Amino acid sequence: MKFDPATLTYNDAGLIPAIAQDAKSGEVLMMAWMNAESIQQTLETRQVTYWSRSRQEFWVKGATSGHTQALVDFKIDCDRDCILVEVNQEGPACHTGRRSCFYTAIESGEEVEILKPMI
Amino acid sequence: MKFDPATLTYNDAGLIPAIAQDAKSGEVLMMAWMNAESIQQTLETRQVTYWSRSRQEFWVKGATSGHTQALVDFKIDCDRDCILVEVNQEGPACHTGRRSCFYTAIESGEEVEILKPMI
């Protein structure tokens, strides 16, 4: 069946959550948002492109920082309301310079920093 | 620093997205939503507990199906607006009987089913 981004379920702002996972290590890198157009752009360019809620514009991941996400696999979930992109991540995925945005673990009720910046 | 669920960023409905990842295989299993109370409950019981948006009630994953998610690690992202739970998944995570909810890949513009039901 041909894929049509319009068949996905978006929130009131026209957005859908997209999880980025490192295609090699399996590490979950980040979660951000896409709209129908950024999905189309991601599939066409093979460069992961989100919608920036703060800037209200397309966000080609790494366009400024060089920390790009080359698309390896694009998956949707059973409810068609979440996306999983498997990527080749260039450098850190997180704006803090860490490999993943999920660098804080909760252990015995305490916040613990589990990843240091790469750069 | 002591972790307080109230310090996370929730949407207008008081919810935050939670990604579940298989602690052993690294496979991303599903994405669902939590509120502050279900986060507290997840950390206390070590059984992943979401908030069901359709039923408007706590959703102890697997309470009915037996397909529970035992909490291994609980992480938050840099923006404090997304959760990653690493879990020991009992049986399939997806209500369709598949290991993961992300069983549809987009390949060359076509939807392709990449996982069959386990049960």
Side-chain angles (χ1 to χ4, degrees):
Chain A
M1 189 169 69
K2 196 166 152 30
F3 173 64
D4 179 357
T7 62
L8 301 183
T9 298
Y10 300 88
N11 69 12
D12 291 346
L15 302 176
I16 183 170
I19 302 161
Q21 182 179 31
D22 188 293
K24 287 188 280 278
S25 69
E27 189 170 23
V28 174
L29 300 172
M30 56 182 285
M31 197 280 275
W33 298 80
M34 291 187 179
N35 60 14
E37 226 174 316
S38 71
I39 291 170
Q40 200 62 52
Q41 202 171 314
T42 296
L43 289 168
E44 282 171 16
T45 64
R46 310 296 290 178
Q47 287 294 323
V48 177
T49 302
Y50 302 100
W51 178 258
S52 168
R53 294 180 301 173
S54 53
R55 297 193 305 271
Q56 288 286 302
E57 61 181 26
F58 290 110
W59 169 24
V60 181
K61 174 73 180 158
T64 308
S65 64
H67 303 143
T68 51
Q69 294 180 336
L71 185 67
V72 176
D73 265 316
F74 186 103
K75 297 176 183 173
I76 58 176
D77 77 344
C78 51
D79 292 335
R80 304 177 77 85
D81 64 0
C82 188
I83 289 167
L84 175 64
V85 285
E86 295 172 30
V87 304
N88 284 330
Q89 172 70 51
E90 191 65 43
C94 185
H95 73 288
T96 65
R98 292 172 177 86
R99 205 166 60 234
S100 161
C101 294
F102 295 95
Y103 58 80
T104 306
I106 312 303
E107 297 176 2
S108 306
E110 297 284 325
E111 295 193 16
V112 179
E113 186 185 330
I114 53 168
L115 281 179
K116 294 286 175 198
M118 296 169 72
I119 51 171
Chain B
M1 186 169 70
K2 196 166 151 29
F3 172 64
D4 178 358
T7 62
L8 300 182
T9 297
Y10 300 88
N11 69 12
D12 291 346
L15 302 176
I16 184 170
I19 302 160
Q21 181 179 31
D22 189 292
K24 286 187 282 276
S25 69
E27 189 169 25
V28 174
L29 301 172
M30 58 182 283
M31 197 281 275
W33 298 80
M34 292 188 180
N35 59 16
E37 226 175 316
S38 71
I39 291 170
Q40 200 63 53
Q41 202 171 313
T42 295
L43 289 169
E44 282 172 14
T45 63
R46 311 294 292 177
Q47 288 294 322
V48 177
T49 303
Y50 302 101
W51 177 257
S52 167
R53 294 179 302 171
S54 54
R55 297 193 307 271
Q56 288 285 304
E57 60 181 26
F58 290 110
W59 169 24
V60 181
K61 174 71 181 160
T64 308
S65 64
H67 303 143
T68 51
Q69 294 180 336
L71 184 67
V72 176
D73 266 315
F74 187 103
K75 297 176 183 172
I76 58 177
D77 77 345
C78 52
D79 292 334
R80 305 179 76 86
D81 64 359
C82 188
I83 289 166
L84 175 64
V85 286
E86 294 172 30
V87 304
N88 284 328
Q89 172 70 49
E90 191 67 43
C94 186
H95 73 287
T96 65
R98 293 173 177 86
R99 203 167 62 234
S100 161
C101 294
F102 295 94
Y103 59 81
T104 305
I106 312 303
E107 298 177 1
S108 307
E110 297 284 324
E111 296 194 17
V112 179
E113 186 187 329
I114 52 169
L115 283 178
K116 295 285 176 198
M118 297 169 71
I119 50 172

